[in-house]
Amino acid sequence: MQEDIQEILIDRYAIQARVYKMAQELAATYGEREFVMMPLLTGSIIFVADLVRHLPLRMRIDVAAVSSYPGRTTSNQGTQVLYPTAFDVRGRDILVIDDILDSGRTLHAVCMLLREQGAGSIRSCVLLKKKLPRPPEMEADFVGFEIPNEFVVGYGLDYNGYYRNLPDLAVLHKRVFGGT
Ligand code: IMP
Ligand code: MG
């Protein structure tokens, strides 16, 4: 696995420092107000696990599963919400958590559904945002790092289901995408 890595983009220590700061930003926003953290599976599991442990606030955690990048694809192929089929969000303050904001289609699709289903407020928080030539379909309210337009893995992010367990955020060698 290590031999597939071309470069470490953000190491585990820089990630931890930023996650701690993000938790403080979230605490300042929600304060005493109860809210629901909604991590999007599977990419955000490690981020959200670190984040919530810095947040001694009253919250629930309700996961949602979406699929946009099936298999060996590196661009959004259309976002599908796989779980839950109906959200129980009426009047609740929802914070959607994702690993990375790229085209913005995933966040947009989820937030639209939450709005339709009567969420009280909807905010979004991503660890990473890609710098793209054109703006994403939806901006996130909280962003950890802006990164170059490259496909990254580690700290929850995958390529074809692998590399989520790398502790750092890394760029893969080009040959990995060729499947050789
Ligand atoms: P968007 O819908 O194009 O904004 O893409 C967001 C989703 O695509 C995230 O939930 C990620 O799971 C996935 N994704 C986008 N870029 C990357 C990447 O560089 N590495 C791994 N997953 C990515
Ligand atoms: Mg994802």
Side-chain angles (χ1 to χ4, degrees):
M1 191 157 96
Q2 294 301 324
E3 66 278 7
D4 294 344
I5 293 167
Q6 179 186 297
E7 179 200 352
I8 290 183
L9 200 63
I10 307 174
D11 71 30
R12 62 200 77 178
Y13 309 105
I15 296 171
Q16 281 318 311
R18 185 69 188 116
V19 169
Y20 179 70
K21 287 271 187 224
M22 292 183 84
Q24 291 181 318
E25 290 171 36
L26 293 171
T29 300
Y30 288 100
E32 299 295 298
R33 225 184 143 90
E34 178 174 330
F35 66 105
V36 179
M37 279 241 178
M38 185 171 285
L40 304 186
L41 297 178
T42 308
S44 68
I45 57 171
I46 297 181
F47 176 39
V48 80
D50 282 345
L51 197 57
V52 293
R53 284 178 288 175
H54 293 303
L55 281 170
L57 305 178
R58 188 167 171 84
M59 71 169 78
R60 289 183 173 189
I61 304 177
D62 273 341
V63 300
V66 298
S67 172
S68 323
Y69 285 50
R72 296 178 185 211
T73 48
T74 57
S75 66
N76 191 312
Q77 307 291 307
T79 300
Q80 253 188 298
V81 177
L82 308 173
Y83 171 90
T85 44
F87 293 96
D88 177 20
V89 294
R90 293 219 144 263
R92 292 186 186 278
D93 294 316
I94 312 290
L95 179 65
V96 180
I97 311 277
D98 206 1
D99 49 0
I100 186 164
L101 179 69
D102 186 355
S103 69
R105 270 180 240 152
T106 302
L107 263 193
H108 184 72
V110 171
C111 291
M112 289 286 285
L113 264 174
L114 291 171
R115 188 163 307 129
E116 277 168 25
Q117 301 192 2
S121 75
I122 305 162
R123 291 189 180 87
S124 56
C125 172
V126 294
L127 178 67
L128 306 171
K129 176 186 169 177
K130 283 195 192 174
K131 282 189 202 131
L132 301 177
R134 60 197 188 97
E137 240 167 78
M138 195 189 138
E139 294 288 352
D141 298 289
F142 303 90
V143 175
F145 299 94
E146 279 208 58
I147 60 163
N149 187 13
E150 284 192 85
F151 198 80
V152 293
V153 297
Y155 197 72
L157 291 94
D158 73 304
Y159 172 63
N160 196 23
Y162 296 99
Y163 308 106
R164 294 192 197 275
N165 52 324
L166 290 174
D168 309 298
L169 280 154
V171 178
L172 294 174
H173 279 296
K174 294 277 175 287
R175 62 171 164 73
V176 178
F177 299 108
T180 52

